[in-house]
Amino acid sequence: MKTILLHVCCGPCSIMCIESLREEGFEVTGYFANPNIHPFSEYFRRREAMEQVAARMDLPMIWQDDVYNVPGWIEAVHTMGIADNAEYARCHYCYETRLALTCTTASARKFDAFTTSLLYSRHQQHEMIRETGEAVSSSGDFAAADGYQAAFLYRDFRPFWQAGIDRSKEWGLYRQNYCACIFSEYERFEKKLQKLVARSSTRV
């Protein structure tokens, strides 16, 4: 049985990825490494939901909490000049950071392959994730000390979108309403803010 390290962004998005990979015959291990989740309370809520999924699905987990660093992530994004996410540059940096961590860990622990639950979401830049995973895997920069490097496994998990939603609701999992970072949170609620601004301006 081939082994695979599945980067998990949250509990709800991971369910059908785990199930699908197991049906293919993979021995799946989850890997929680998400440096940019904002705020800290959100990080803990998503981590707890992933703990619940792991317990229900008897999923071995690797927790990489030591890479959580929102101030450092924001600084890097601003230093690179991509805070406004022109051409989805910020998203690419986010994908690359997490997939590089996953590849490094998968290679060091001699997994046959690695992939990510980001490929489940209809709201992510799907082709960019695929291209980034393939680039990380083929670069050679994230190999183990002995030169071994796990391969990136591409799968389109989006057909399981509704099944994952239904299962996560059935299990009573916390379901987030924005991607992860402070910028995506702002973009998610910006329209609501603008409505408040317009309403208050009419009262002046």
Side-chain angles (χ1 to χ4, degrees):
M1 181 179 290
K2 288 189 175 182
T3 59
I4 188 164
L5 187 64
L6 171 67
H7 165 263
V8 289
C9 56
C10 63
C13 290
S14 68
I15 297 170
M16 299 310 298
C17 302
I18 298 163
E19 190 169 293
S20 176
L21 290 168
R22 283 176 170 172
E23 287 177 356
E24 285 191 54
F26 284 100
E27 182 180 336
V28 186
T29 297
Y31 177 59
F32 191 88
N34 300 288
N36 66 323
I37 297 175
H38 171 85
F40 226 137
S41 57
E42 180 73 12
Y43 179 86
F44 287 128
R45 294 185 77 178
R46 297 191 191 198
R47 192 187 192 284
E48 182 181 8
M50 191 62 233
E51 289 173 350
Q52 293 170 336
V53 169
R56 277 183 171 270
M57 302 188 75
D58 194 23
L59 178 74
M61 286 292 303
I62 298 172
W63 303 97
Q64 195 75 54
D65 296 308
D66 60 344
V67 300
Y68 182 72
N69 182 12
V70 168
W73 189 88
I74 293 174
E75 181 181 5
V77 168
H78 274 281
T79 300
M80 297 170 68
I82 58 175
D84 61 354
N85 211 23
E87 300 298 325
Y88 296 104
R90 186 183 71 237
C91 294
H92 179 266
Y93 176 69
C94 180
Y95 300 150
E96 186 176 51
T97 300
R98 291 190 275 185
L99 287 170
L101 285 167
T102 311
C103 183
T104 299
T105 302
S107 300
R109 301 197 181 208
K110 299 297 185 291
F111 284 86
D112 294 309
F114 69 96
T115 192
T116 176
S117 64
L118 293 168
L119 291 167
Y120 161 84
S121 176
R122 294 178 178 176
H123 301 299
Q124 300 290 345
Q125 304 302 310
H126 192 88
E127 288 306 313
M128 183 183 289
I129 298 169
R130 177 179 187 169
E131 292 169 3
T132 303
E134 291 171 348
V136 164
S137 179
S138 62
S139 69
D141 295 336
F142 309 102
D146 61 2
Y148 175 78
Q149 185 155 314
F152 175 68
L153 180 79
Y154 167 73
R155 289 292 184 270
D156 186 353
F157 298 116
R158 289 174 297 182
F160 306 113
W161 174 256
Q162 191 58 51
I165 291 173
D166 295 343
R167 191 81 60 85
S168 64
K169 289 181 177 179
E170 177 188 337
W171 290 357
L173 297 177
Y174 168 67
R175 294 177 47 78
Q176 65 276 4
N177 56 10
Y178 65 99
C179 182
C181 73
I182 187 172
F183 302 108
S184 65
E185 182 186 28
Y186 178 82
E187 290 165 359
R188 172 67 176 78
F189 296 105
E190 183 181 12
K191 288 183 180 179
K192 185 175 182 179
L193 174 65
Q194 293 306 319
K195 287 181 180 179
L196 292 174
V197 170
R199 188 186 307 166
S200 60
S201 65
T202 61
R203 296 175 180 173
V204 176

